Amino acid sequence: NQVKRIFNVALVTFIVLGAISFVVMYIFARPLANWQGDVQATLAVKALAPACFFVCVISAFRGYAQGHANMVPTSVSQIIEALGQLVIGVGLAWYLMQAASGTATAAAGGIFGVTAGAGISLICLIVYHIRRRRREPRIGDDRPDSVKRILKRLAIIAVPITLGASIV
């Protein structure tokens, strides 16, 4: 029960943090691009914004699997994420360059591969989690920690790690 409560609290927390990160990055795409020294990067920043949401949610699912000493979901999802980034990112960049959409748009297409790869990875992790949950034994009668206590521990341990992963 404790493990499930921690996962559920972490998942909701990271969904909220990811949504806030996505909205801030999307709304402030132009100032962020200016801050980086290239206003033409605005589309690329917008294309990358949903990845912030995906990475936050992915962190909860990967952490749950790793907490069960199961690195398979993390490994497989990372490979799928990298393949999605490569195939979709390079494919979109190439297509947009061929369509003479301009370098800024092609760069946004290329960077969208990061977002698409993370999205596909998240879908795979959700499917894996649902399948695994169906095979789990019935819940015991232990009493899990309060949501407040779990949130405090998450803030101290997991949030900095997730923010670091989002920046990368």
Side-chain angles (χ1 to χ4, degrees), residues 7 54 57-63 65 72-78 80-81 118-132:
F7 172 71
F54 295 145
V57 180
I58 283 170
S59 295
F61 283 102
R62 286 181 180 165
V72 172
T74 297
S75 303
V76 170
S77 70
Q78 287 177 331
I80 289 169
E81 185 176 356
I120 295 167
S121 174
L122 177 58
I123 290 168
C124 291
L125 286 166
I126 290 170
V127 168
Y128 177 84
H129 181 76
I130 290 170
R131 287 182 179 169
R132 183 183 189 281

Side-chain angles (χ1 to χ4, degrees), residues 5 9 144-156:
R5 167 115 8 124
V9 170
D145 290 345
S146 70
V147 171
K148 183 179 179 181
R149 180 172 163 85
I150 293 170
L151 280 172
K152 183 178 178 183
R153 288 195 336 226
L154 280 175
I156 293 169

